[in-house]
């Protein structure tokens, strides 16, 4: 009997332990083999500003897991959803500040579209595959034509089931209505209240009740709802969008460890109470935090670094760094450990990539073979990256360059680029230009993403004489 175990073990924040991973569709029975899926949700960015280098960490960590799952279960089997939070008071504030002359809706659209485009560019340069679904919160506020879940309906359900109540211009989740509240963060409600420094706001039943919906003033963005024109709280969007693409209960839910409480705790409360389920996701995974040069990153400390600062400007160490070096730096620390992001580590990552490239060239091998078993076993042990990378060094040292390159490629690292050049780079660029002409932007973007993943950066310009679009390329690193 195939119970879905492929050698992968993961540490689960919910149980505080490591366990063998068996996807639900293999376990629950009655799901036809062709319909079985592995489902993962990761909380995505709030698009109000450039993503900082700490935000890159969950994107890279869960990209490695996505790639490993695709390798173990098949590409078409793994469904990965990562949301874009495009409604948030920080976005409103930024819109008013940056585009004071525009109507608010337009100003907000400018901020969220520009920031989302920059985020896509950043994470593609870091070698991350696009997720299967990337829903935007604003598309899931009110009932949808396609019948997928939406926030207003989920909030109505929570009220009808006695888990939420309107009060003081808000709709609040009643945490005492859920006996299991606090299971993920291992906090008991009584302890939370005893320790709470904030006075209970008068309209709340319990200090820990959190906002599902709040009314908007005329100057704030809003949607019509049974409770008046308003906007959703942050937590409800992930409950809705994960249900939309992965179902009421799914396999893996991830994010940075700062999200365990309150965000993920509240997602669980909303989803379980709205759906009447015991759980929302089976495995909860959290990446450790990143600091910069030994200190917590903050604007006031002067060590706040965006992804674009590192990749596109010379602000960090006086040069632009290859995305692949940043990726390798991040991967070299186990995902649950804290990382100190330093110039010295960036330099070390570049040296390591160069060394691998030299070894491969010296061996005359540029084609990856099959990923090495010992490497896979290490990576499958809760992404034990140090052992996995140590194995890659061993493979190079033993002269198994195809095995080393295939293993690295599974990590999204490609030290040798000739393969893609031979495989008709010019043809891919020409095809992308055709797609752009045909306004098939999704296909054009997919080609760009595919090439970016292989270290080829495309640059669009105009031919000064004909005015036609021309695309040039450069090898990153
Ligand atoms: P935010 O936009 O702040 O909600 O963060 C987006 C994602 O980045 C979340 O998964 C956070 O946990 C994660 N994150 C934010 N700051 C850091 C950091 N310094 N190190 C690692 N992950 C972070
Ligand atoms: Zn979330």
């Amino acid at each position: 009997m195939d119970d879905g175990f492929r050698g992968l073990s993961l540490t689960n924040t919910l149980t505080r332990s490591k366990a063998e991973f068996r996807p639900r569709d293999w376990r629950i029975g009655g799901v036809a083999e062709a319909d079985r899926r592995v489902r993962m949700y990761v909380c995505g960015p709030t698009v109000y500003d450039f993503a900082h280098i700490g935000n890159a960490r969950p994107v890279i960590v869960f990209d490695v897991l996505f790639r490993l799952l695709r390798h173990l279960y098949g590409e078409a089997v793994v469904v990965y959803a990562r949301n874009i939070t495009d409604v948030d008071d920080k976005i409103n504030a930024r819109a008013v500040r940056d585009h004071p002359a525009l109507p608010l809706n337009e100003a907000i659209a400018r901020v969220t579209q520009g920031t989302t485009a920059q985020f896509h560019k950043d994470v593609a340069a870091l070698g991350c595959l696009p997720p299967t679904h990337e829903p935007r919160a604003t598309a899931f506020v009110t009932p949808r034509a396609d019948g997928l879940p939406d926030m207003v309906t989920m909030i109505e359900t929570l009220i009808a089931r006695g888990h939420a109540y309107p009060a003081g211009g808000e709709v609040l989740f009643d945490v005492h209505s859920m006996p299991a509240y606090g299971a993920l963060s291992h906090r008991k409600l009584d302890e939370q209240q005893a320790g709470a420094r904030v006075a209970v706001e008068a309209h709340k039943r319990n200090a820990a009740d959190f906002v599902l919906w709040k009314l908007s003033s005329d100057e704030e963005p809003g949607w019509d709802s049974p409770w008046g024109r308003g906007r959703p709280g942050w937590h409800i969007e992930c409950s809705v969008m994960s249900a939309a693409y992965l179902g009421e209960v799914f396999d893996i839910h991830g994010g940075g460890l700062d999200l365990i409480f309150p965000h993920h705790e509240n997602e669980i409360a909303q989803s379980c109470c709205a759906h009447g389920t015991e759980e929302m996701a089976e495995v909860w995974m959290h990446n450790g935090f990143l600091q910069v040069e030994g200190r917590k990153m903050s604007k006031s400390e002067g060590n706040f670094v965006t992804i674009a600062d590192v990749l596109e400007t010379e602000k960090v160490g006086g040069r632009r760094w290859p995305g692949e070096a940043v990726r390798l730096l991040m991967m070299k620390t186990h995902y649950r450990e804290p990382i100190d992001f330093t110039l010295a580590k960036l330099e070390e990552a570049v040296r390591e990539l160069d060394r691998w490239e030299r070894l491969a060239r010296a061996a005359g091998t540029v084609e990856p073979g099959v990923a090495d078993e010992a490497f896979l076993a290490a990576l499958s042990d809760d992404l034990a990256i140090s052992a996995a990378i140590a194995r890659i060094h061993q493979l190079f040292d033993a002269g198994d360059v195809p095995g080393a390159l295939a293993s690295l490629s599974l990590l999204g690292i490609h030290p040798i680029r000739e393969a893609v050049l031979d495989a008709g780079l010019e043809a891919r660029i020409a095809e992308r230009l055709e797609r752009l002409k045909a306004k098939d932007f999704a296909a054009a973007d997919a080609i760009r993403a595919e090439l970016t993943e292989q270290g080829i950066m495309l640059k669009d310009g105009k031919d000064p004489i004909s005015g036609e679009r021309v695309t040039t390329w450069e090898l990153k690193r």
Side-chain angles (χ1 to χ4, degrees):
M1 232 297 281
D2 178 8
D3 63 357
F5 182 56
R6 300 281 184 275
L8 176 63
S9 294
L10 297 171
T11 294
N12 189 348
T13 306
L14 199 56
T15 58
R16 297 288 196 270
S17 65
K18 186 163 77 177
E20 293 182 348
F21 175 66
R22 291 180 174 76
R24 293 172 57 76
D25 279 1
W26 277 254
R27 288 195 345 263
I28 54 184
V31 183
E33 209 175 310
D35 297 334
R36 288 176 182 162
R37 296 289 178 271
V38 177
R39 299 177 173 85
M40 173 165 82
Y41 186 89
V42 173
C43 300
T46 304
V47 284
Y48 69 100
D49 202 352
F50 283 78
H52 61 63
I53 193 72
N55 298 138
R57 192 166 187 202
V59 183
I60 293 174
V61 162
F62 292 101
D63 181 67
V64 172
L65 181 58
F66 182 40
R67 287 167 184 270
L68 177 61
L69 290 168
R70 283 158 49 111
H71 180 84
L72 298 174
Y73 292 91
E75 285 188 12
V77 172
V78 185
V79 187
Y80 173 21
R82 188 183 64 215
N83 67 299
I84 298 265
T85 299
D86 60 349
V87 47
D88 187 279
D89 289 352
K90 289 197 281 286
I91 298 175
N92 309 341
R94 185 57 62 109
V96 170
R97 191 194 80 183
D98 290 359
H99 307 285
L102 289 181
L104 183 66
N105 276 349
E106 257 174 69
I108 286 176
R110 290 266 182 104
V111 170
T112 59
Q113 283 163 14
T115 312
T116 303
Q118 180 67 42
F119 175 74
H120 285 153
K121 189 170 167 215
D122 289 345
V123 299
L126 295 174
C128 298
L129 299 171
T132 323
H133 301 285
E134 196 176 48
R136 288 176 305 111
T138 49
F140 288 83
V141 178
T142 52
R144 292 167 56 97
D146 61 10
L148 286 178
D150 66 273
M151 301 183 217
V152 164
T153 305
M154 188 178 280
I155 296 169
E156 284 182 306
T157 306
L158 288 169
I159 295 174
R161 288 175 169 247
H163 293 292
Y165 59 98
E170 296 177 336
V171 179
L172 293 151
F173 186 93
D174 179 350
V175 291
H176 273 297
S177 74
M178 188 203 192
Y181 186 81
L184 179 72
S185 53
H186 295 220
R187 293 172 184 230
K188 292 209 175 67
L189 269 178
D190 302 342
E191 289 168 14
Q192 287 172 34
Q193 285 192 335
R197 297 217 190 97
V198 283
V200 180
E201 294 154 76
H203 64 292
K204 287 190 178 182
R205 289 183 192 162
N206 322 288
D209 289 356
F210 58 89
V211 172
L212 301 170
W213 188 264
K214 55 189 158 196
L215 295 184
S216 294
S217 67
D218 290 344
E219 291 77 43
E220 287 166 333
W223 289 260
D224 289 329
S225 83
W227 318 286
R229 185 178 165 278
R231 59 199 190 282
W234 170 37
H235 314 300
I236 192 75
E237 64 176 78
C238 289
S239 285
V240 165
M241 291 186 280
S242 62
Y245 291 106
L246 309 178
E248 294 181 353
V249 186
F250 50 94
D251 296 297
I252 299 172
H253 192 315
L257 59 78
D258 58 321
L259 299 187
I260 296 175
F261 188 87
H263 183 55
H264 288 167
E265 199 71 78
N266 293 351
E267 282 187 31
I268 293 173
Q270 296 161 160
S271 292
C272 291
C273 292
H275 301 137
T277 50
E278 289 288 311
E279 54 188 354
M280 174 186 188
E282 295 194 348
V283 185
W284 288 79
M285 295 177 65
H286 294 98
N287 64 269
F289 247 48
L290 173 147
Q291 52 174 19
V292 173
E293 300 288 352
R295 285 169 304 142
K296 180 173 189 275
M297 184 170 33
S298 81
K299 289 198 169 134
S300 57
E301 284 270 355
N303 66 346
F304 188 88
V305 186
T306 68
I307 302 173
D309 286 339
V310 181
L311 303 182
E312 294 175 19
T313 74
E314 296 179 358
K315 282 187 200 164
V316 178
R319 61 164 286 190
R320 295 162 58 183
W321 296 89
E324 216 157 54
V326 177
R327 182 176 177 92
L328 181 60
L329 180 164
M330 292 264 189
M331 284 189 326
K332 281 180 67 174
T333 299
H334 188 267
Y335 76 90
R336 281 186 288 106
E337 299 292 323
I339 292 190
D340 192 17
F341 187 87
T342 63
L343 211 51
K345 284 190 185 152
L346 270 173
E347 285 161 354
E348 183 191 309
V350 169
R351 278 198 301 276
E352 198 153 15
L353 289 167
D354 286 348
R355 176 169 175 271
W356 288 335
E357 180 165 14
R358 267 200 319 278
L359 288 172
R361 284 184 193 285
T365 316
V366 296
E367 289 295 334
V370 282
D372 173 71
E373 284 301 321
F375 163 83
L376 267 175
L379 200 61
S380 297
D381 180 11
D382 197 29
L383 308 181
I385 195 73
S386 311
I389 296 212
R391 179 63 187 160
I392 286 173
H393 283 288
Q394 270 178 13
L395 290 167
F396 273 114
D397 293 344
D400 182 1
V401 174
L405 291 180
S407 307
L408 277 172
S409 145
L410 214 153
L411 294 175
I413 300 264
H414 308 272
I416 294 283
R417 308 282 166 49
E418 272 85 345
V420 66
L421 300 186
D422 292 345
L425 171 63
E426 299 299 337
R428 298 298 281 156
I429 291 178
E431 189 186 337
R432 177 172 166 273
L433 286 175
E434 286 303 312
R435 302 290 188 146
L436 284 174
K437 266 195 207 141
K439 300 215 180 312
D440 185 354
F441 298 113
D445 286 349
I447 295 175
R448 178 195 278 277
E450 166 206 318
L451 293 176
T452 303
E453 206 215 322
Q454 304 178 65
I456 310 277
M457 299 305 286
L458 299 183
K459 236 195 195 146
D460 288 327
K462 260 197 185 140
D463 184 291
I465 297 163
S466 68
E468 291 258 310
R469 184 199 292 264
V470 284
T471 301
T472 54
W473 57 270
E474 68 180 87
L475 273 183
K476 275 291 205 175
R477 192 161 69 79

